């Protein structure tokens, strides 16, 4: 596809090129143009797009590409693009731009649009209000179906969605909801009040944006109404915005679970130094926390000298504990994000993970015991792996698996209760804690059974 575009551009077949570009989906156009290294060529190709396609394509670009294009635009070109954008998209763009670009954007928007953008920008970053759009279809309860269709035709062109229509009173209080499907299946002289749904599910502007995405998923809505503290309808969150939030939140959680400070910049566009800055604090913290395991090894150094064979199995035991805790933490973090588990469920979680840990640990312990005596002792001829040593290692696996499961499942729940992100206490920290527990259990059984 890109090769054909380059061919048309090289041969200066501008008419064919313009027609071809405008037949491509805006998301695909954005992806193609971002691969164009020459900035002048990218701007030239973008200028060939029709107004509506240009605006839809512009929204799909990453922040750097948007900034570069704005710098290349004349005020007229910038205004044409801005006029085609939805309010929430314009607000998202402004949030990522430097001050000089923001001033230029606001200068080229009309006062009404500027006021709507500023309203959205005033809400907290992770709130429902920050991702809503004020462009929705509102009807009155005393309207007939015919009146409703007239209003939709008159105002719907500038709305982000017209399928779901909200019914408000004179003070903009949300009192009902209906759909275009219901309107189409009703008679023209039917009154909205007679068939509208009055049990309206909505969220507040200050609710967490994840709450909105969960609600959209739970109720299978295409849009979620957003109200203020007085139940006045101020905006809606559409399903495409919810998908963007889910993607951002999942990316952030994955980065935190890997002990990396979250960033919105695409990987290949992230500077090496910036990546270093976001990773090194966590690596240093984990390195320092790992000194606990070193201290335990130092404390039991004399015991290890008496039974050096125990040293060979430390990596396996620590790895088993870390993996066990990591499985539980990933499962619980997912459950927390879906609002399936709350702090009040912590004892239910502990009891469930205890049973899972006991069954898993017993299975691993039996397999390990057989492996130690049959493979390590007989096949490899390691006479140091005695029956009692095998018992110590197998019992350690059993107990550490149970402990790791409980640690991995409870820490994220406690973190959520304390207002922290559960993902922060994911694999790296849980692994470190599990390592410490594994070593303590290991040496405890070694001292008790081997009489070291």
């Amino acid at each position: 596809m890109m090769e054909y575009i380059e061919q048309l551009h090289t041969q200066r077949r501008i008419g064919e090129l313009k027609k071809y570009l405008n037949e491509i989906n805006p998301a695909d156009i954005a992806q193609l143009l971002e691969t164009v290294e020459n900035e002048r060529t990218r701007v030239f190709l973008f200028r060939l797009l029709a107004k509506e396609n240009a605006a839809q394509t512009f929204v799909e670009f990453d922040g750097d590409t948007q900034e570069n294009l704005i710098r290349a635009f004349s005020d007229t070109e910038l205004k044409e693009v801005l006029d085609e954008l939805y309010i929430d998209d314009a607000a998202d763009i402004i949030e990522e731009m430097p001050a000089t670009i923001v001033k230029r954007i606001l200068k080229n928007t009309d006062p009404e649009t500027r006021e709507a953008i500023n309203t959205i920008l005033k809400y907290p970053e992770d709130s429902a209000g920050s991702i809503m759009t004020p462009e929705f279809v509102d009807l009155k309860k005393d309207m007939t179906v015919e009146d409703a269709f007239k209003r939709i035709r008159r105002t719907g062109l500038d709305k982000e969605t017209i399928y779901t229509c909200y019914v408000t009173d004179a003070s903009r209080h949300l009192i009902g909801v209906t759909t275009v499907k219901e309107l189409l299946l009703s008679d023209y002289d039917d009154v909205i009040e007679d068939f509208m749904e009055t049990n309206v599910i909505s969220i507040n502007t200050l609710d967490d944006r994840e709450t909105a995405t969960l609600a959209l998923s739970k109720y299978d809505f295409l849009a979620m109404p957003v109200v203020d503290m007085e139940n006045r309808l101020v905006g809606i969150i559409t399903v495409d915005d919810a998908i963007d939030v889910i993607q951002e939140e999942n990316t952030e959680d994955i980065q935190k679970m890997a002990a990396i400070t979250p960033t919105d910049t695409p990987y290949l566009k992230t500077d090496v130094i910036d990546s270093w800055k976001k990773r090194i604090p966590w690596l240093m913290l984990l390195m320092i926390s790992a000194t606990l395991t070193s201290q335990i090894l130092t404390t039991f150094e004399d015991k290890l000298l008496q039974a050096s064979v125990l040293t060979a199995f430390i990596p396996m035991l620590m790895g088993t504990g870390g993996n066990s805790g990591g499985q539980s933490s990933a499962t619980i973090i997912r459950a927390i994000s879906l609002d399936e588990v709350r702090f009040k469920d912590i004892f239910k979680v502990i009891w469930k993970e205890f049973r899972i840990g006991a069954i898993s640990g017993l299975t691993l312990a039996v397999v390990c015991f057989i492996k130690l005596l049959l493979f390590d002792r007989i096949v490899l001829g390691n006479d140091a792996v005695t029956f009692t040593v095998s018992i110590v290692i197998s019992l350690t696996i059993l107990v550490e698996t149970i402990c790791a499961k409980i640690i991995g499942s409870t820490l994220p729940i406690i973190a959520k209760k304390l207002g922290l992100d559960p993902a922060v206490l994911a694999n790296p920290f849980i692994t470190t804690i599990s390592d410490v527990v594994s070593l303590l259990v290991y040496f405890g059984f070694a001292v008790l059974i081997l009489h070291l």
Side-chain angles (χ1 to χ4, degrees):
M1 189 180 291
M2 194 62 216
E3 291 78 5
Y4 183 62
I5 292 174
E6 291 175 348
Q7 179 184 344
L8 293 177
H9 179 251
T10 303
Q11 297 175 358
R12 307 304 294 173
R13 293 155 61 185
I14 308 303
E16 294 179 50
L17 179 57
K18 182 175 182 178
K19 181 181 178 182
Y20 182 73
L21 283 174
N22 282 286
E23 291 174 349
I24 304 175
N25 185 279
D28 294 327
I29 299 175
Q31 189 174 6
L32 288 170
L33 294 188
E34 283 183 343
T35 64
V36 178
E37 296 182 1
N38 187 296
E39 193 65 37
R40 293 181 62 182
T41 301
R42 181 189 298 159
V43 173
F44 173 77
L45 294 175
F46 183 83
R47 284 171 171 160
L48 295 179
L49 299 175
K51 286 184 181 180
E52 186 175 347
N53 281 348
Q56 293 176 6
T57 303
F58 189 81
V59 172
E60 299 293 335
F61 286 131
D62 61 53
D64 290 340
T65 303
Q66 289 175 341
E67 181 180 345
N68 292 334
L69 283 173
I70 290 174
R71 293 186 186 279
F73 287 162
S74 65
D75 284 349
T76 302
E77 289 174 320
L78 179 57
K79 190 175 188 314
E80 287 179 352
V81 171
L82 294 173
D83 286 345
E84 296 293 329
L85 294 181
Y86 291 116
I87 299 297
D88 57 332
D89 291 330
D92 288 341
I93 292 170
I94 287 176
E95 280 187 312
E96 299 182 8
M97 294 296 121
T100 53
I101 299 294
V102 171
K103 289 180 181 178
R104 190 169 170 221
I105 291 175
L106 294 177
K107 186 184 73 172
N108 286 281
T109 55
D110 58 76
E112 184 179 350
T113 301
R114 190 156 53 244
E115 182 181 354
I117 291 173
N118 287 330
T119 299
I120 293 177
L121 294 176
K122 288 177 182 177
Y123 290 108
E125 183 179 356
D126 292 327
S127 67
S130 68
I131 61 170
M132 71 179 185
T133 175
E135 297 163 314
F136 54 86
V137 175
D138 60 321
L139 306 174
K140 303 303 177 184
K141 66 179 183 179
D142 56 353
M143 280 183 172
T144 63
V145 171
E146 185 176 8
D147 294 333
F149 277 127
K150 286 180 180 179
R151 179 166 176 77
I152 293 172
R153 293 190 187 99
R154 188 172 66 252
T155 65
L157 184 63
D158 298 324
K159 308 304 181 185
E160 190 152 347
T161 179
I162 62 171
Y163 179 75
T164 306
C165 304
Y166 301 95
V167 184
T168 59
D169 61 17
S171 300
R172 294 191 295 112
H173 294 112
L174 180 60
I175 59 174
V177 62
T178 187
T179 64
V180 170
K181 177 181 178 180
E182 290 175 328
L183 294 173
L184 286 170
L185 297 177
S186 301
D187 294 330
Y188 266 26
D189 56 354
D190 287 348
V191 179
I192 301 294
E193 185 178 14
D194 294 338
F195 59 84
M196 71 180 186
E197 175 63 55
T198 56
N199 183 25
V200 186
I201 297 171
S202 62
I203 58 170
N204 189 271
T205 52
L206 298 180
D207 286 343
D208 190 276
R209 64 180 190 170
E210 281 190 271
T211 303
T213 60
L214 289 173
L216 275 166
S217 174
K218 179 179 179 180
Y219 299 110
D220 291 329
F221 288 169
L222 294 178
M224 174 66 69
V226 184
V227 298
D228 60 15
M229 301 304 292
E230 298 179 10
N231 198 43
R232 290 177 301 192
L233 183 62
V234 293
I236 61 171
I237 296 175
T238 53
V239 68
D240 58 316
D241 293 323
I243 292 173
D244 290 339
V245 170
I246 292 171
Q247 182 178 349
E248 291 173 14
E249 294 293 338
N250 286 344
T251 301
E252 182 179 309
D253 286 347
I254 290 171
Q255 291 171 331
K256 287 182 178 179
M257 290 174 72
I260 301 173
T261 302
T263 177
D264 295 329
T265 308
Y267 173 76
L268 292 177
K269 294 190 177 184
T270 304
D271 184 73
V272 172
I273 299 300
D274 288 337
S275 297
W276 169 76
K277 289 178 180 178
K278 293 182 181 299
R279 298 184 189 186
I280 198 62
W282 295 98
L283 291 175
M284 292 179 66
L285 179 60
L286 292 171
M287 180 187 69
I288 294 171
S289 64
T291 56
L292 289 172
T293 59
S294 301
Q295 187 61 42
I296 294 173
L297 291 172
T298 302
T299 302
F300 289 92
E301 186 175 4
D302 294 339
K303 310 294 183 183
L304 288 173
L305 290 175
Q306 297 177 45
S308 58
V309 67
L310 297 177
T311 306
F313 298 99
I314 289 177
M316 179 192 71
L317 294 173
M318 294 172 65
T320 301
N323 293 334
S324 298
Q327 284 182 335
S328 296
S329 68
T331 303
I332 292 299
I333 289 171
R334 178 62 176 166
I336 291 174
S337 68
L338 296 175
D339 203 29
E340 297 173 351
V341 171
R342 300 182 181 181
F343 185 76
K344 65 179 182 180
D345 302 315
I346 189 168
F347 292 110
K348 293 180 182 178
V349 171
I350 291 174
W351 173 232
K352 181 174 182 177
E353 290 298 323
F354 172 82
R355 288 177 289 166
I356 295 173
I359 297 172
S360 301
L362 184 60
T363 305
L364 293 171
V366 170
V367 172
C368 182
F369 183 78
I370 296 172
K371 176 255 183 189
L372 289 171
L373 291 182
L374 293 182
F375 185 76
D376 291 65
R377 183 174 177 81
I378 297 176
V379 177
L380 297 182
N382 189 349
D383 295 333
V385 181
T386 62
F387 179 83
T388 51
V389 168
S390 300
I391 288 291
V392 168
I393 296 171
S394 299
L395 284 176
T396 300
I397 288 178
L398 171 60
V399 175
E400 75 167 358
T401 301
I402 296 173
C403 293
K405 292 289 186 185
I406 294 174
I407 292 169
S409 61
T410 55
L411 283 184
I413 297 175
I414 294 171
K416 181 69 173 179
K417 180 65 175 179
L418 296 175
L420 303 174
D421 192 324
V424 174
L425 293 178
N427 285 342
F429 287 105
I430 289 174
T431 299
T432 300
I433 297 172
S434 297
D435 289 347
V436 172
V437 172
S438 298
L439 289 177
L440 291 175
V441 171
Y442 190 33
F443 292 124
F445 279 128
V447 171
L448 181 65
I449 297 175
L450 299 179
H451 307 292
L452 299 179

